[in-house]
Amino acid sequence: QVQVVESGGGSVQSGGSLRLSCAASGNIFSLEYMGWYRQFPGEQREMVAILTGDGHAHYADSVRDRFIISRDNAYTKVSLQMDRLNPEDTAVYYCNAKGRWGDKAWGFDSWGRGTQVTVSS
């Protein structure tokens, strides 16, 4: 199977920056996309930013122009640079990777355990 592990997160004051990183490991055959979701208390997860296998980035309107998603050359790691954070960005951030793995290209849809981002005013 494919596992994803997040790092980064933490606490910052409004207007500050944080960087999240996510690494995928396993016998990955191909990646459909890899990216970040977030979840506010009592709400469903929402997409923040994803990077498709062919390199296209998609952002939620609320973070466009403030967050940038990037990847390494091997496309096994993605990072999310978050600038101009505000208290409304406070949430648990999850890394998600979807694609195919193994010799028979089985499908996978893997989630990390989440990392807390807290922005104080």
Side-chain angles (χ1 to χ4, degrees), residues 2-119:
V2 175
Q3 294 184 334
V4 294
V5 178
E6 304 114 336
S7 61
S11 298
V12 67
Q13 289 191 326
S14 184
S17 300
L18 285 173
R19 186 177 181 88
L20 305 180
S21 295
C22 174
S25 61
N27 187 12
I28 298 173
F29 179 79
S30 63
L31 269 172
E32 181 178 342
Y33 67 78
M34 195 167 171
W36 294 90
Y37 287 69
R38 66 186 179 186
Q39 188 168 20
F40 303 110
E43 298 187 18
Q44 292 187 336
R45 291 180 192 178
E46 63 176 35
M47 188 273 288
V48 176
I50 61 171
L51 201 52
T52 63
D54 58 0
H56 288 92
H58 300 272
Y59 296 93
D61 289 341
S62 59
V63 307
R64 198 183 308 276
D65 300 327
R66 298 188 298 123
F67 293 8
I68 297 176
I69 188 169
S70 60
R71 69 184 191 189
D72 68 339
N73 290 335
Y75 196 17
T76 58
K77 296 181 181 178
V78 292
S79 296
L80 185 68
Q81 177 65 38
M82 304 184 293
D83 297 325
R84 291 183 282 141
L85 285 159
N86 58 62
E88 289 70 40
D89 295 314
T90 296
V92 179
Y93 285 70
Y94 295 89
C95 181
N96 177 228
K98 185 175 182 179
R100 298 197 173 273
W101 72 283
D103 297 337
K104 297 190 182 299
W106 295 287
F108 75 88
D109 186 358
S110 298
W111 292 85
R113 305 179 90 172
T115 184
Q116 177 70 45
V117 170
T118 302
V119 185

